[in-house]
Amino acid sequence: LQDAAAIQPPYSGKPGETYLAFENDDGEVAPLYGKALKRLLADTPSVQLLVLSGCMTGQTAFSDALAGAGTALLRESHVQALVVMQYSILVDTAIQFAKVFYEAVGRGESLSRGLTHVRQVLAQSRGEHRADWGIPALYLRSPELKLVDTRAPKRVVERHDDAVSIGDLPVVRDFVGRTRELRRLREIVRHPQ
């Protein structure tokens, strides 16, 4: 059996197509295009809302409005709602967006009403002449989509805290991120002098 990459080379995007920038183990940019993101989400039909709160996650290719990191999900995808940022967003604005939006969704408001509430709060706190309030964009398949039914009986979620405490330091099962540090440690182990 031949290597899959040899049969089908990695997708490199359309001219001008946007992507989410990840970092591989070598510290290089590993682009994740919308087409690949759609494949990653294909086996998760329970995902109804995707929020890409990074800067310019709503940008698209000039030739195709659905050829962006997030907007590609609007074509042939089960995702019912998508929130992207049209331009660069300040960290404090993103934090305030997340707080207000998720609180509204948790109260059972529709996603469109939740985003309207975010825009009102941002306009009041930042001043209506700053464009922060207009950066988040919401794409919906149903205009009044609600993800939380406040009338439904509350479920008790069991919590399994399997971290073991050694003094004040928890034992971590997985080491996520810190790629640069891991690369440096591997180099030290290979060349101890």
Side-chain angles (χ1 to χ4, degrees), residues 129-140:
H129 299 294
R130 280 190 52 189
D132 290 21
W133 62 268
I135 293 173
L138 174 64
Y139 295 93
L140 290 170

Side-chain angles (χ1 to χ4, degrees), residues 12-169:
S12 59
K14 296 177 180 181
E17 184 174 352
T18 61
Y19 55 85
L20 300 177
F22 286 87
E23 181 180 302
N24 64 20
D25 288 342
D26 297 324
E28 299 165 343
V29 172
L32 179 67
Y33 290 93
K35 188 175 181 178
L37 182 57
K38 190 168 21 175
R39 276 196 311 269
L40 286 173
L41 292 171
D43 293 335
T44 56
S46 62
V47 173
Q48 299 295 301
L49 167 67
L50 185 64
V51 177
L52 299 175
S53 60
C55 293
M56 300 191 295
T57 53
Q59 296 291 309
T60 62
F62 294 113
S63 61
D64 186 352
L66 298 180
T71 55
L73 296 171
L74 299 173
R75 188 181 314 182
E76 302 169 19
S77 171
H78 63 274
V79 175
Q80 297 297 304
L82 172 69
V83 177
V84 293
M85 302 302 151
Q86 299 178 79
Y87 305 102
S88 294
I89 186 165
L90 298 172
V91 172
D92 59 333
T93 302
I95 291 169
Q96 193 165 17
F97 160 80
K99 179 183 182 310
V100 174
F101 185 71
Y102 292 127
E103 283 177 355
V105 170
R107 284 191 307 268
E109 292 184 25
S110 69
L111 299 179
S112 57
R113 179 67 191 123
L115 187 61
T116 298
H117 189 63
V118 167
R119 289 184 172 146
Q120 291 167 341
V121 168
L122 288 174
Q124 288 173 352
S125 66
R126 306 271 195 270
E128 62 185 40
H129 299 294
R130 280 190 52 189
D132 290 21
W133 62 268
I135 293 173
L138 174 64
Y139 295 93
L140 290 170
R141 294 195 191 280
S142 172
E144 291 305 312
L145 180 65
K146 293 182 181 184
L147 297 180
V148 175
D149 182 1
T150 56
R151 297 168 295 155
K154 296 194 185 316
R155 290 186 324 185
V156 177
V157 179
E158 290 184 37
R159 184 173 172 195
H160 299 285
D161 193 5
D162 52 358
V164 178
S165 179
I166 302 175
D168 291 334
L169 300 174

